[in-house]
Amino acid sequence: MLRWVLPALALLLAGCGITNPVVEERRVREATEAHFGSPLAPIDVGPIVVSGNHALADWTQGDFGGRALFEMGDYGWQLLLCSGDSMRNASNLKRAGVPDFNATYIADELAKAELSVPAERLARMKRFVGTAADHEKYLRSLGEGQGAAGTAPSIAPEVRANAPKS
């Protein structure tokens, strides 16, 4: 009987929508590379923390870097915003729309993960000042195609002029 119960349980759980954190981390890495990567300037991504429908990815590229906040959407992981040290704080993640539990988890786990990140790399991420929103979200906020001549920069300029500092 046991040999039938375990496969049945595995099939049942497979249909429950339980996400695999390793797979989701890889997808967030790929999304970060797609947004910021360039053949001219390699990007270093990580650590990445995923909680529920939100994820935060550290990234550096050349002398600069930042932290990218993603949300799981209809088409996979979508960039919500990018910032520097301000994204390390749960209160700022909550203000960006991350639910309380997820924001606290992400901030706590990122703090632990960043203990192994070299100080020089953390300093590069700190250089990202302010907060910039993703192009698609920026366009949606303007109304479809109603930006200047129907265009907008690939990353919106300073959506929050007074971005919180850590």
Side-chain angles (χ1 to χ4, degrees):
M1 170 136 162
L2 188 58
R3 70 179 175 170
W4 295 105
V5 172
L6 291 178
L9 183 60
L11 283 173
L12 181 64
L13 289 176
C16 290
I18 297 172
T19 60
N20 181 330
V22 174
V23 170
E24 296 310 318
E25 183 177 313
R26 179 182 51 79
R27 290 177 177 160
V28 170
R29 180 177 308 281
E30 290 168 354
T32 305
E33 290 169 349
H35 275 281
F36 302 107
S38 164
L40 301 175
I43 186 168
D44 184 11
V45 180
I48 297 168
V49 179
V50 178
S51 182
N53 287 336
H54 290 87
L56 192 64
D58 285 3
W59 61 271
T60 52
Q61 188 175 40
D63 291 335
F64 295 95
R67 291 172 180 87
L69 179 63
F70 289 89
E71 181 175 57
M72 178 56 82
D74 293 338
Y75 302 103
W77 289 101
Q78 298 171 341
L79 181 66
L80 290 180
L81 57 90
C82 192
S83 191
D85 278 359
S86 65
M87 289 291 95
R88 297 174 78 189
N89 298 324
S91 60
N92 292 335
L93 293 170
K94 291 174 194 175
R95 289 196 305 197
V98 179
D100 289 353
F101 172 81
N102 296 349
T104 301
Y105 179 85
I106 289 170
D108 291 348
E109 291 302 307
L110 185 68
K112 291 176 198 172
E114 285 184 345
L115 290 174
S116 63
V117 175
E120 173 273 330
R121 185 161 181 258
L122 289 172
R124 288 189 280 158
M125 286 182 262
K126 190 173 189 167
R127 291 184 185 146
F128 195 111
V129 178
T131 303
D134 180 64
H135 172 65
E136 288 131 341
K137 185 170 182 170
Y138 177 68
L139 285 178
R140 282 194 302 272
S141 73
L142 294 175
E144 195 166 310
Q146 296 185 12
T151 64
S154 60
I155 294 182
E158 287 295 304
V159 173
R160 295 184 197 155
N162 298 317
K165 306 277 190 265
S166 59

